[in-house]
């Protein structure tokens, strides 16, 4: 696999994101101590960028204007460029920022015109946190075992009951999406838009070691009323309303999660360069090799993002490969960085301690490595990856054919 080169507009976007990321580390340290201290993010350009990411321009989002282009984060490649740089500043602060996040991708897939206007309109009106609730405490994200229920109410609306767990930003969110079951079987899974001000909604923050700013929560729905026009995908066929949409959302987002892991690895690598003194001999060689590995994984992440944007059936498998490899890279790089400072490294270098904890947290975002490897393996069995087949989207320069211009 040969190296890739971003287009000039994407390089300009990356440079701007790198500049904005410098303010995130201090905010991330505060959020690590107090995850409720989101006021630290209010005036940061990176947080303002995240607040309108994944909001299409036609709904009033300003986006990022640079090098004659306007970027709204609607492509996976744009998001990987931004998220890598922001995570190099601080991954926890990046994930603590308001914005559409995972819900935005799902709304783009499942929402009708009215639902998109309601959702995107609130994001443009003011910085708003959102949540994406799929995982349940007893069954994880197994669609066939989901127990949260969505039942018809007496007035034509619906009633939501159940529990979810490990849902980011839910305690501070104004709205989000919830997956629930309307009937047995995979076609009985539906997603709904939910206003967190609805009676019966409750979010309880969970204790966390890493990525504490993301504020993972346990959710309870006790007879929450869901208006009929907040049930997503009613204009689509039953096969495209539930877990198909969730899977497509995960595929689109995984390159971004992988980019966060690459950003954490870069932060650890650069910290040793800056604080570890002159590296010579074997130490210098080891650190150079890690730098080459970071560059290689970044290349894989960009290729995965481009394949996702091309809409190919292989995109999910390449994204899973990128996410698994990037997560392992982040853990390896942060642990290796600690070795340069001795047994007390995590005590005497709190930046490294946080990077180690955050790196481990990325492993559990969008599926662990075991899940990602199973996805890649099923693609291999189906003939979608491996066996000498090429990825068609990888045969053109990165960044062409998908940049929203303004």
């Amino acid at each position: 696999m040969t190296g890739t080169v971003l287009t000039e507009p994407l390089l300009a976007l990356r440079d701007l994101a790198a500049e904005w990321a410098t303010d995130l580390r201090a905010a991330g340290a505060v959020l690590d101590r107090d995850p409720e201290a989101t006021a630290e993010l209010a005036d940061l350009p990176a947080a303002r960028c995240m607040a309108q990411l994944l909001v299409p321009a036609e709904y009033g989002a300003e986006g990022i204007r640079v090098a004659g282009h306007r970027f709204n984060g609607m492509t996976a490649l744009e998001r990987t460029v931004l998220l890598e740089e922001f995570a190099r500043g601080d991954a926890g602060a990046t994930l603590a920022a308001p914005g559409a996040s995972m819900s935005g991708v799902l709304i783009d897939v499942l929402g009708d015109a009215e639902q998109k206007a309601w959702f995107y309109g609130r994001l443009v009106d003011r910085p708003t946190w959102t949540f994406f609730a799929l995982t349940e405490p007893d069954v994880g994200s197994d669609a066939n075992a989901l127990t949260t229920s969505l039942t018809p109410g007496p007035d034509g609306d619906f009633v939501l009951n159940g529990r979810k767990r490990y849902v980011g930003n839910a305690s501070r969110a104004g709205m989000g999406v919830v997956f629930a079951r309307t009937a047995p079987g995979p076609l009985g899974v539906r997603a709904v838009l939910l206003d967190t001000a609805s009676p019966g909604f409750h979010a309880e923050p969970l204790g966390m070691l890493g990525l504490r700013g993301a504020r993972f929560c346990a959710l309870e729905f006790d007879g929450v009323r869901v208006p009929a026009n907040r049930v997503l995908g009613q204009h689509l066929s039953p096969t495209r309303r539930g877990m198909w949409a969730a899977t497509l959302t995960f595929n689109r987002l995984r390159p971004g999660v992988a980019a966060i892991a690459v950003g954490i690895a870069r932060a650890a690598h650069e910290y040793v360069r800056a604080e570890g003194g002159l590296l010579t001999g074997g130490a210098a060689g080891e650190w150079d090799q890690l730098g080459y590995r970071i560059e290689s994984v970044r290349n894989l992440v960009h290729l995965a993002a481009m394949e996702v944007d091309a809409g190919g059936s292989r995109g999910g498998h390449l994204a899973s490969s990128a996410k698994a490899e990037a997560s392992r890279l982040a853990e390896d790089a942060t642990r290796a960085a600690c070795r340069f400072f001795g047994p007390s490294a995590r005590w005497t270098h709190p930046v490294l301690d946080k990077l180690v904890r955050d790196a481990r947290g990325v492993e559990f975002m969008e599926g662990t490595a075991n899940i990602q490897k199973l996805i890649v393996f099923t693609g291999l069995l189906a003939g979608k990856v491996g066996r000498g087949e090429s990825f068609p989207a990888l045969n053109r320069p990165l960044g062409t054919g998908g940049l929203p211009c303004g």
Side-chain angles (χ1 to χ4, degrees), residues 48 147 201 208 257-259 287:
R48 291 199 300 268
T147 59
F201 173 87
M208 298 174 63
V257 176
W287 221 236

Side-chain angles (χ1 to χ4, degrees), residues 19-361:
E19 178 184 333
W20 288 348
T22 57
D23 297 326
L24 287 174
R25 182 156 295 176
V30 174
L31 286 163
D32 195 50
R33 294 189 297 270
D34 178 12
E36 295 300 324
T38 53
E40 296 291 322
L41 298 170
D43 296 324
L44 300 185
R48 291 199 300 268
C49 170
M50 292 293 293
Q52 299 225 344
L53 208 64
L54 282 163
V55 179
E58 57 263 34
Y59 293 93
E62 295 181 2
I64 306 170
R65 292 183 180 273
V66 60
H69 284 68
R70 179 169 61 185
F71 297 91
N72 291 82
M74 297 306 293
T75 70
L77 187 56
E78 292 171 27
R79 295 192 295 273
T80 59
V81 169
L82 288 167
L83 290 172
E84 180 187 333
E85 295 301 329
F86 290 167
R88 185 180 63 86
D90 190 86
T94 300
L95 295 172
S101 191
M102 293 183 68
S103 293
V105 175
L106 188 71
I107 296 300
D108 186 49
V109 173
L110 281 184
D112 60 27
E114 178 188 349
Q115 291 162 346
K116 289 180 178 180
W118 182 80
F119 181 82
Y120 294 135
R122 292 185 62 171
L123 291 169
V124 171
D125 183 53
R126 65 177 62 88
T128 303
W129 282 270
T130 64
F131 69 86
F132 183 97
L134 172 64
T135 303
E136 296 190 353
D138 298 323
V139 301
S141 55
D142 181 358
N144 292 321
L146 293 184
T147 59
T148 298
S149 64
L150 184 70
T151 56
D155 55 359
D157 290 337
F158 292 84
V159 179
L160 184 68
N161 287 283
R163 298 183 300 157
K164 299 291 182 179
R165 198 169 180 87
Y166 309 122
V167 182
N169 287 318
S171 61
R172 54 174 72 117
M175 57 183 174
V177 296
V178 181
F179 283 84
R181 181 169 295 287
T182 60
L187 296 184
V189 176
R190 300 294 299 272
V192 300
L193 260 175
L194 193 67
D195 190 318
T196 59
S198 302
F201 173 87
H202 178 70
E204 183 69 27
L206 300 170
M208 298 174 63
L209 290 177
L211 301 173
R212 299 188 71 228
R215 211 54 166 142
F216 289 176
C217 295
L219 304 186
E220 291 187 8
F221 313 105
D222 184 9
V224 179
R225 179 178 173 273
V226 179
N229 62 354
R230 295 288 182 263
V231 179
L232 295 167
Q234 297 190 84
H235 60 298
L236 301 174
S237 70
T239 58
R240 292 177 176 265
R241 292 173 178 172
M243 288 311 299
W244 174 87
T247 301
L248 183 60
T249 297
F250 290 141
N251 289 345
R252 289 187 179 183
L253 286 168
R254 280 192 181 114
V257 176
I260 290 173
V262 173
I264 293 172
R266 282 182 58 201
H269 189 260
E270 293 169 7
Y271 187 85
V272 171
R273 292 287 194 200
E275 304 293 335
L278 181 64
L279 300 180
T280 60
E286 177 186 350
W287 221 236
D288 286 343
Q289 287 298 316
L290 179 59
Y292 301 146
R293 181 181 170 193
I294 291 172
E295 185 67 27
S296 175
V297 175
R298 177 196 289 119
N299 183 56
L300 174 62
V301 172
H302 286 170
L303 295 176
M306 195 171 187
E307 187 66 28
V308 166
D309 289 335
S313 61
R314 300 176 177 88
H317 307 99
L318 191 58
S320 289
S321 177
K323 198 274 176 174
E325 192 62 28
S327 295
R328 186 173 65 173
L329 167 69
E331 293 191 47
D332 290 350
T334 52
R335 288 198 301 262
C338 289
R339 291 201 301 270
F340 280 89
F341 300 97
S344 62
R346 293 179 64 174
W347 180 260
T348 57
H349 295 266
V351 169
L352 284 183
D353 174 66
K354 186 175 186 304
L355 287 171
V356 171
R357 290 185 284 114
D358 287 352
R360 185 59 178 165

